[in-house]
Amino acid sequence: MAKKRARIDIITDMLSSIQNKGGEIKPTHLMYKSNLSHGQLVSYLDELLEKELVKKVKKKEYDYIILTDKGFSLLSRLKEMVEFEKTFGL
Amino acid sequence: MPEFDLVYSPHWFYGKDIAIDSVSIIVLLLIAFFSYQCYRTRKTCKNPLWLAVSFFLLALSFAAKILVNFTLYREVLRTESIGPFSMIYETMAASPVLFIAGFFAYRVLTLLGLYMLYSVYSERQSFTTKVLIMFFILMSTHLSYSSYYAFHVTALALLALTTYTYIQKMCECGMKTSLLLAFSYGLITLSQFFFIFIRAQESLYVIGEAVQLVGYLLLAFIFLRALYHGKKACAN
């Protein structure tokens, strides 16, 4: 059985999902790509918006979640850390 | 003052081992700092914290070793009067307090650091096992005052076990990329093997230091490569 994801892993997955879609994604797609329930999505998204890691924009009547520069920097840092832990067997 | 079993490096190598150890300190501190940041940011488990502590202790031990070497290598001019004649000559100056403290700190911190590194990759140990190992570390340090090789044999054992445990763990995970880290740990282990026999052949100290340097430079390369791959994964 897969281990429960830590909070930081969920945030990494969310930011990665946005980045993989070219830096912008619809909330529903983010929910599916990050394997989140609706409640989790709302909770984590509020946190990401509050910390200015992502921002919400409206395009043609749809809401899009866009990765900010700050969010990209954090994602880069988190991926370095994941790679470091993997390499050093942590 | 207790009798110490001291083994010096060849005269021509004085100072160069200090430079080599300085490089090791920089590498260890860089990785320790980043590992600690990993722990603070991700908090997925405590292994990054133990790795950071381990590398920090090893860096401190090298700093203590540099202090000991510095007190030994420092030459001063002494004047002695014999009747109407006075003689000025160069001799080694030793500050006993600094020497003893540095000598003890180097050995204890190295063995503690290596034991912490072993703990990162091994199964969780009971409290009594940890106490027993601390006792053996202190005994090894005490014995090394009169038999220098006791310290290097203990360090070799800890490093060999760490390398073996790491390889075992990585084979279970099927991670081929970590063979390079195993090789780095292996080189640092090999350097301790050379240090055991430096009484028989002084030049083995130079070889040991060189092998150790290569091991730590490889460690630095692996660390920087991991950061590069992480950044690249993000850019893609």
Side-chain angles (χ1 to χ4, degrees):
Chain A
M1 194 174 176
K3 215 170 92 170
K4 193 179 168 184
R5 281 185 298 177
R7 191 179 145 274
I8 195 71
D9 290 329
I10 293 173
I11 289 171
T12 308
D13 287 344
M14 288 177 76
L15 296 176
S16 290
S17 301
I18 302 170
Q19 203 223 354
N20 290 342
K21 284 285 252 177
E24 60 180 48
I25 194 170
K26 289 180 184 172
T28 319
H29 291 172
L30 178 60
M31 189 175 75
Y32 291 134
K33 293 282 184 193
S34 311
N35 281 321
L36 298 170
S37 65
H38 182 261
Q40 280 180 312
L41 175 73
V42 168
S43 168
Y44 281 103
L45 198 52
D46 282 344
E47 191 180 340
L48 295 181
L49 286 164
E50 193 187 313
K51 288 180 178 165
E52 295 177 356
L53 300 172
V54 298
K55 59 184 180 187
K56 224 180 217 178
V57 293
K58 215 169 180 80
K59 277 186 181 179
K60 294 180 184 176
E61 296 172 7
Y62 293 108
D63 280 334
Y64 280 85
I65 309 297
I66 291 177
L67 191 64
T68 60
D69 289 341
K70 194 176 170 187
F72 183 80
S73 294
L74 177 65
L75 179 61
S76 179
R77 197 78 175 137
L78 289 172
K79 289 209 167 174
E80 283 176 3
M81 289 178 178
V82 167
E83 191 64 32
F84 171 81
E85 286 184 13
K86 202 169 76 175
T87 303
F88 279 78
L90 305 176
Chain B
M1 189 168 147
E3 275 187 33
F4 291 94
D5 183 14
L6 298 174
V7 184
Y8 301 133
S9 77
H11 196 273
W12 59 269
F13 201 60
Y14 287 175
K16 292 178 180 67
D17 56 347
I18 291 176
I20 289 173
D21 292 339
S22 302
V23 171
S24 304
I25 288 174
I26 292 167
V27 172
L28 287 164
L29 285 177
L30 273 173
I31 298 175
F33 178 67
F34 190 84
S35 193
Y36 180 67
Q37 276 194 317
C38 278
Y39 167 72
R40 284 281 307 271
T41 307
R42 286 174 47 77
K43 289 178 186 164
T44 45
C45 66
K46 283 197 170 170
N47 281 344
L49 175 65
W50 301 140
L51 186 81
V53 171
S54 154
F55 278 20
F56 182 68
L57 287 174
L58 289 172
L60 276 183
S61 77
F62 276 117
K65 187 186 171 201
I66 287 172
L67 184 72
V68 169
N69 286 347
F70 189 71
T71 61
L72 287 174
Y73 298 160
R74 191 167 57 98
E75 291 182 346
V76 294
L77 291 173
R78 288 207 196 279
T79 306
E80 243 187 56
S81 297
I82 306 168
F85 305 103
S86 64
M87 204 164 60
I88 302 171
Y89 58 94
E90 276 188 356
T91 185
M92 297 262 209
S95 168
V97 174
L98 269 177
F99 176 77
I100 294 168
F103 191 91
F104 179 76
Y106 165 53
R107 277 156 168 73
V108 163
L109 290 172
T110 299
L111 296 181
L112 275 177
L114 292 179
Y115 172 57
M116 289 229 69
L117 183 62
Y118 169 72
S119 301
V120 169
Y121 300 114
S122 66
E123 296 292 325
R124 201 184 160 112
Q125 293 141 32
S126 66
F127 174 71
T128 47
T129 305
K130 287 175 189 173
V131 169
L132 191 63
I133 291 173
M134 292 299 163
F135 169 73
F136 284 134
I137 286 172
L138 287 172
M139 283 307 296
S140 174
T141 305
H142 176 70
L143 276 172
S144 69
Y145 280 124
S146 53
S147 308
Y148 77 96
Y149 55 82
F151 162 71
H152 293 294
V153 167
T154 311
L156 173 71
L158 283 169
L159 279 164
L161 285 171
T162 302
T163 308
Y164 173 73
T165 313
Y166 175 76
I167 291 171
Q168 230 186 2
K169 195 176 174 183
M170 291 303 107
C171 284
E172 281 168 16
C173 299
M175 290 188 60
K176 290 176 192 171
T177 51
S178 46
L179 279 176
L180 209 52
L181 184 61
F183 188 60
S184 167
Y185 285 157
L187 280 176
I188 297 169
T189 308
L190 183 64
S191 71
Q192 291 299 324
F193 179 76
F194 286 119
F195 290 141
I196 290 169
F197 301 104
I198 46 180
R199 186 169 281 292
Q201 181 59 260
E202 236 177 25
S203 57
L204 286 175
Y205 179 79
V206 178
I207 296 170
E209 283 284 322
V211 170
Q212 190 172 255
L213 176 66
V214 172
Y216 280 109
L217 286 176
L218 185 59
L219 199 63
F221 169 74
I222 293 162
F223 168 64
L224 293 171
R225 198 180 72 158
L227 296 189
Y228 170 74
H229 281 317
K231 248 191 179 59
K232 199 174 158 194
C234 188
N236 290 340

